[in-house]
Amino acid sequence: MTSPSVTSANTNAHTNANTRAAVAAQAVALSTPGHDAGLLLLRLVLGLTMAAHGTQKLFGWFGGGGISGTGQFFTASGYPAGDAMAVLAGLTETLGGLGLAVGLLTPLAGAAIVGTLINAIAVHGAGSFFAPKGIEYELLLTAGAAALALTGPGRYAVDRFLPVLRGHRLAHGALAVALGVVLAGVLLLVRS
């Protein structure tokens, strides 16, 4: 005869294993080839667009101002140490964009882009929604980056090889986006 505590422990272990298997099966069912291809397309377009913006700031590529020109813009926009801000924004956009494109550390890459674009929206102003003077472009990029941070990169991503991010969790994305928003707020506070 088995004691009730042993039977209870065996039942709980069996129930936990079944629950984990069910969650894994549901995650696989949600991750269809079309879903993963759509996330890949979004990651590539958004990530490479942001990386290109970053290289404009860092190297002056694609008609950008480089560190000096971008630094002058940051100084004129009220940020202290314009050249340092240009390097920070350029690195954040370049590395965050490349991270999104390849699906590496996707929650943090998305959060980096969210934080940068919150500052871009604040500098641009919210006087109008539609381009060319509005914030629609920046808002769309911000929403896309936040969505990728929250949903995960899909199967076609480097994160699939990182055990902690293999089974993307909403909590990782939510914490990363919250961190991006808080850091963006701190940078906005130092802006005069």
Side-chain angles (χ1 to χ4, degrees), residues 7-178:
T7 302
S8 175
N10 287 340
T11 302
N12 286 342
H14 183 69
T15 301
N16 288 340
N18 285 341
T19 302
R20 283 192 300 272
V23 169
Q26 183 181 16
V28 169
L30 293 175
S31 185
T32 65
H35 176 259
D36 294 325
L39 287 172
L40 174 64
L41 177 64
L42 178 60
R43 283 193 353 257
L44 286 172
V45 171
L46 197 151
L48 293 177
T49 297
M50 291 308 302
H53 278 287
T55 61
Q56 287 181 308
K57 291 171 179 63
L58 292 174
F59 310 116
W61 294 355
F62 310 113
I67 292 173
S68 177
T70 305
Q72 291 172 5
F73 170 79
F74 274 108
T75 300
S77 298
Y79 288 94
D83 285 353
M85 292 302 297
V87 170
L88 178 65
L91 286 173
T92 302
E93 290 177 1
T94 302
L95 296 176
L98 292 175
L100 281 180
V102 300
L104 176 63
L105 302 175
T106 304
L108 291 176
I113 299 303
V114 166
T116 299
L117 287 166
I118 287 172
N119 275 268
I121 289 169
V123 167
H124 204 262
S128 174
F129 179 74
F130 295 105
K133 296 184 179 194
I135 60 167
E136 66 178 328
Y137 174 68
E138 292 87 354
L139 187 61
L140 183 61
L141 291 173
T142 304
L148 286 169
L150 294 171
T151 62
R155 285 186 198 196
Y156 311 127
V158 176
D159 281 353
R160 299 286 294 169
F161 301 103
L162 302 175
V164 71
L165 293 175
R166 186 176 300 134
H168 181 79
R169 290 170 180 71
L170 176 61
H172 293 151
L175 287 172
V177 170

